Amino acid sequence: MHKFIPILLFSLFLYSCEDIYVDESYWPSGKLKTKITYQKDMGKGQGLFSFNSYYESGAIQAEGFLLGEDYHGEWKEFYVNGQLLRESQYHEGRPLA
C-alpha cells in the first residue's frame, strides 16, 4: 500500500493544478534523455515531482519520483532492451528494505 501513496499524491498534484512544467533534456542525436515534471510555482528541487530517463536508443532507463532532490517512492530501472532491471522503494532518499 505504501508504494502507491507517492503515485496517488503525484496524480492528485497533477490534476489539482494547471501550471505544470516539463523540463526535458536531449541526447546529441535529438532523442529524449530526461524528462522532469513539476508544478511551476514550486520549481525544480522542491516538492514531489516525476523523473524519467532514457537510453539514447529511446528505451526507458529509469522512472520514479523525487521529493526535493531525494528519491522517494517507487523507482524502476530498466535494461536497454526494456526489461525490468530492478524495482526499489525509497523514503526521503533512504532505501526501504
Side-chain angles (χ1 to χ4, degrees), residues 9-33:
L9 290 174
F10 191 72
S11 297
L12 291 172
F13 161 77
L14 285 178
Y15 291 113
S16 68
C17 60
E18 296 178 8
D19 285 332
I20 300 297
Y21 183 74
V22 177
D23 187 15
E24 298 177 338
S25 66
Y26 296 88
W27 289 100
S29 65
K31 292 189 177 186
L32 187 61
K33 184 176 185 179

Side-chain angles (χ1 to χ4, degrees), residues 71-86:
Y71 287 12
H72 191 75
E74 182 177 53
W75 272 82
K76 293 181 181 179
E77 296 174 75
F78 300 89
Y79 291 105
V80 71
N81 68 3
Q83 289 186 324
L84 185 65
L85 169 64
R86 85 182 102 235

